[in-house]
Amino acid sequence: MNDLLSLIVHHGYMVISVVVFAEAIGVPVPGAVALVAGGAAVASRDLNGPAAVLFAVAAMLLADSLLYVLGSRTGWVILKFLCRISIDPETCVLRSAESFYKRGRTTLVVAKFIPGVSTMAAPLAGSMKMPFLQFLGLDFLGASAYALAYGAVGFVFRDFVAKIVSGFRTAGHAVEIVIIIAVIGFVGYRVSLYWKHRGDRVVPRIQVAALAAKLKAEGLEKILLADVRSHGYYSAGAVRIPGAIRIEPNNLSAEIKQFPRDKDMYLYCTCRSEATSASVAHLLRTSGFSAFVIVGGLAAWRRAGNPLETVPATDVVHLPTFSR
């Protein structure tokens, strides 16, 4: 923080702009700390208050606008990328979008203050077709509140900020301990997820080549192909393995009553390590079904040059959008 204060004093508005832009775009940098340091610099008359706020807000609006456009152009692709840390990115996208829609447009006003949501809000607004001018207005309010709130803290508690800097100089070991605890906590979280989904790993798998040969020999009379991608991934032109049915993993308890018990079920998705299909297959097997996971999912089937078919219009389900 001492280095950040020094940079802000010497290079002023540019440093604040770069740091808050990077934070808004998703880079893990301390945007709030930069604003607090900027407020302290304003209090010591090294920076002009209105100019500092203007540069910070403009940088955040630029970053959020880029994410909005990216969300509107790529749809769920960017959201899936932002959910990579989740063991199941497909349901992460679905839940984030539905939560954002239910809480309404004003979520953008407070999004900057909520870690995680601050990065997801702009591309979600783009993906869910929120009018750009409306997005820009709400995002401006949120960015202004964020800049003013943390800038005011630095301005009012300028002397306290100086003490914090002094404290950082003498508390190096304490900071190291905090970092170590944070790393241990993260590892513990990942281990808990691994343990929670341990049953998914024992689900039997089948290679694409073996399944293709089985389909050629037996047809679909004794085989049921199931596409368990979350419905947020369906769009015009989406494809699937010919003859596959769609299973909504978030509604499995209701749909399970319709599945035949005299057929082997082969499931696929598009997430890493077949997370969704393995989870659904495990639940099906505990309910008495003969369920298997297709290794590599739809991507492996496509790479092998096997046939695909367009998803029927009746199976295309769209999430609510702000344009409706």
Side-chain angles (χ1 to χ4, degrees):
M1 186 169 179
N2 182 53
D3 293 337
L4 186 58
L5 275 171
S6 178
L7 280 172
I8 288 175
V9 168
H10 289 91
H11 301 285
Y13 314 110
M14 183 58 67
V15 174
I16 295 176
S17 299
V18 169
V19 174
V20 297
F21 175 88
E23 183 191 46
I25 211 76
V27 179
V29 293
V33 174
L35 291 170
V36 170
V42 171
S44 61
R45 298 185 180 180
D46 291 308
L47 295 180
N48 177 271
V53 172
L54 179 63
F55 273 90
V57 171
M60 284 185 277
L61 288 180
L62 177 59
D64 290 343
S65 296
L66 289 174
L67 288 176
Y68 173 94
V69 172
L70 204 56
S72 64
R73 295 286 179 85
T74 65
W76 302 105
V77 175
I78 181 63
L79 301 175
K80 179 181 177 181
F81 173 77
L82 294 173
C83 277
R84 281 293 181 186
I85 194 171
S86 170
I87 193 168
D88 185 355
E90 293 186 350
T91 54
C92 167
V93 172
L94 177 64
R95 290 170 183 168
S96 297
E98 289 182 337
S99 176
F100 182 69
Y101 183 81
K102 288 176 181 177
R103 285 175 172 78
R105 298 167 171 81
T106 53
T107 301
L108 286 167
V109 178
V110 297
K112 292 293 180 189
F113 296 92
I114 308 173
V117 176
S118 59
T119 304
M120 290 288 289
L124 271 172
S127 294
M128 301 177 75
K129 304 187 187 305
M130 178 183 288
F132 179 71
L133 291 180
Q134 185 179 79
F135 161 78
L136 202 60
L138 292 170
D139 196 50
F140 171 77
L141 293 176
S144 298
Y146 185 68
L148 288 170
Y150 283 105
V153 170
F155 184 88
V156 174
F157 298 102
R158 177 184 59 175
D159 295 334
F160 183 64
V161 171
K163 291 181 180 179
I164 291 176
V165 173
S166 177
F168 271 114
R169 290 173 179 170
T170 59
H173 293 298
V175 173
E176 290 174 5
I177 292 172
V178 170
I179 292 173
I180 291 172
I181 292 174
V183 170
I184 292 174
F186 177 76
V187 171
Y189 168 72
R190 299 301 296 183
V191 169
S192 69
L193 287 179
Y194 182 83
W195 182 257
K196 178 182 177 182
H197 293 270
R198 65 190 183 282
D200 302 349
R201 296 188 296 277
V202 300
V203 174
R205 263 95 167 153
I206 185 171
Q207 297 292 332
V208 164
L211 178 59
K214 191 176 182 67
L215 283 169
K216 186 176 181 179
E218 302 179 13
L220 291 171
E221 292 184 6
K222 296 182 180 180
I223 295 175
L224 182 66
L225 297 171
D227 186 329
V228 296
R229 290 175 292 173
S230 176
H231 63 246
Y233 285 84
Y234 283 99
S235 59
V239 295
R240 67 182 185 184
I241 297 177
I245 66 168
R246 185 174 71 85
I247 295 178
E248 173 51 60
N250 300 293
N251 193 38
L252 183 62
S253 58
E255 296 186 0
I256 200 171
K257 302 173 184 177
Q258 307 171 18
F259 304 147
R261 293 181 178 273
D262 60 343
K263 290 187 176 184
D264 289 337
M265 301 179 67
Y266 295 92
L267 283 58
Y268 67 89
C269 60
T270 54
C271 50
R272 60 183 176 185
S273 303
E274 302 92 39
T276 301
S277 52
S279 179
V280 174
H282 176 67
L283 292 173
L284 287 170
R285 293 183 73 85
T286 58
S287 299
F289 292 89
S290 177
F292 304 83
V293 171
I294 302 174
V295 176
L298 185 63
W301 181 269
R302 188 198 301 266
R303 284 197 302 269
N306 293 313
L308 295 166
E309 68 177 12
T310 303
V311 173
T314 53
D315 279 355
V316 176
V317 181
H318 301 286
L319 288 174
T321 63
F322 289 110
S323 63
R324 293 180 185 176

